[in-house]
Amino acid sequence: MNTATNNREETFTPSLSLSGKKVVVVGGKTGIGLGIARAAHAAGASVVVVSRRVASAQERPDLSDFEQVSLDIRQEAAVQAAFEAIGAFDHLIVTAAPDIGTWGGFMDADMQGVRSYVEGKFLGTWACARYAAPHLRASGSITFLTGGMAVRPKLGFTAVTASFAAVEALSSSLALELAPLRVNTIRPGYIDTDMWGFLPEAQRDGMRNKVAQTFPVQRAGRAADVGHAAVFLMTNPYVTGTVVEVSGGENLVPAI
Ligand SMILES: NC(=O)c1ccc[n+]([C@@H]2O[C@H](COP(=O)([O-])OP(=O)(O)OC[C@H]3O[C@@H](n4cnc5c(N)ncnc54)[C@H](OP(=O)(O)O)[C@@H]3O)[C@@H](O)[C@H]2O)c1
């Protein structure tokens, strides 16, 4: 082996540091996005969290480490203006998705539900990437969020499955189109966030127990588990165009 190449490899130290980097997390005030914002901040980044609502310091003292921006990602002109105001940055993460219960069914009387889901998830994700791209440093990255339903459909969730699959296709396509910027997707399994707050507590507990008994890792996922994967994708300089499944092995066992 060439000695010069060998020496270069020996002096390379992999780093999970985001020190000096600016990270924007769209959907970062709750759930998985908040887990990612916290992990990025802990890795040394300055973090901007974006969603429709801006919370006061009294309401959400836990957001004090972050800059907050108010934006509805379904409004294209507002998305463009928000990224122009944010300016140059290093890493974009988009976790935002329509509220639970607004997801249309395939045989609904009309297509209002699916249009609204696709607009909030797929086109919203697209808009964020489109208008963030001119402001992202070339050494940076974009990370999208989907879910296991992208490849393991569940009855009644056709709009979600189709949108997740579209987001994953967008991710690999942008890895080519925006190169050398890196573009990846995280596909989480069951993560115990407030997204599930619509369920009665007993039912939520039942789900946690079922997950603990069924999934190989024997517990429900946490937003921090996804945050850890996001820091890896932001800092590893050679990973692009891929989907990272963070599901505790949910993909290996029958659906719960
Ligand atoms: N939790 C799970 O078990 C799980 C599993 C697989 C996949 N996923 C997927 O992962 C993603 C995030 O899930 P999560 O658990 O973090 O959900 P979540 O806590 O409900 O977070 C969604 C975030 O998106 C923001 N948002 C919604 N619509 C928006 C819009 N139009 N413009 C800007 N922001 C908007 C919301 O904030 P505002 O209300 O302030 O706008 C909220 O902060 C979703 O795509 C979900 O389907 C979740």
Side-chain angles (χ1 to χ4, degrees):
M1 188 185 287
N2 178 317
T3 317
T5 311
N6 207 11
N7 286 344
R8 261 205 311 278
E9 282 174 3
E10 276 172 13
T11 53
F12 174 72
T13 312
S15 169
L16 288 170
S17 169
L18 286 169
S19 176
K21 304 294 181 191
K22 183 168 176 178
V23 173
V24 176
V25 187
V26 182
K29 292 176 209 163
T30 65
I32 293 173
L34 181 57
I36 294 173
R38 284 180 176 150
H41 177 74
S46 65
V47 180
V48 181
V49 289
V50 179
S51 80
R52 289 165 299 182
R53 284 171 281 256
V54 167
S56 68
Q58 287 84 349
E59 247 182 295
R60 292 288 307 274
D62 62 313
L63 294 182
S64 64
D65 287 332
F66 314 126
E67 181 189 338
Q68 290 188 59
V69 167
S70 168
L71 170 68
D72 185 332
I73 61 170
R74 296 167 298 184
Q75 309 296 327
E76 184 177 343
V79 176
Q80 180 171 17
F83 283 106
E84 271 167 15
I86 288 168
F89 68 107
D90 298 283
H91 301 285
L92 170 71
I93 323 285
V94 188
T95 68
D99 300 325
I100 231 156
T102 63
W103 312 346
F106 184 73
M107 289 304 283
D108 284 358
D110 60 38
M111 290 172 60
Q112 204 184 319
V114 63
R115 280 186 207 287
S116 137
Y117 192 84
V118 170
E119 192 180 23
K121 183 67 192 176
F122 177 57
L123 294 179
T125 298
W126 180 302
C128 290
R130 164 64 186 85
Y131 291 108
H135 305 287
L136 276 161
R137 296 191 180 98
S139 57
S141 71
I142 297 177
T143 303
F144 298 145
L145 248 288
T146 59
M149 276 195 265
V151 287
R152 295 183 296 280
K154 282 193 177 141
L155 197 60
F157 293 93
T158 303
V160 177
T161 287
S163 300
F164 282 180
V167 167
E168 293 187 3
L170 175 66
S171 170
S172 49
S173 186
L174 292 186
L176 287 179
E177 187 154 350
L178 301 179
L181 196 73
R182 296 176 301 99
V183 187
N184 296 292
T185 294
I186 298 175
R187 185 195 290 156
Y190 174 77
I191 307 292
D192 196 8
T193 69
D194 286 343
M195 188 187 89
W196 298 104
F198 71 100
L199 292 175
E201 198 49 39
Q203 209 175 322
R204 228 175 136 177
D205 260 345
M207 199 138 127
R208 289 178 187 122
N209 289 337
K210 226 169 175 181
V211 165
Q213 286 159 15
T214 318
F215 289 14
V217 298
Q218 300 178 2
R219 68 163 172 83
R222 302 179 189 117
D225 298 320
V226 185
H228 188 274
V231 170
F232 161 72
L233 289 175
M234 285 187 262
T235 54
N236 185 301
Y238 208 59
V239 178
T240 194
T242 197
V243 176
V244 175
E245 178 128 4
V246 182
S247 69
E250 181 180 352
N251 49 316
L252 303 172
V253 295
I256 57 166

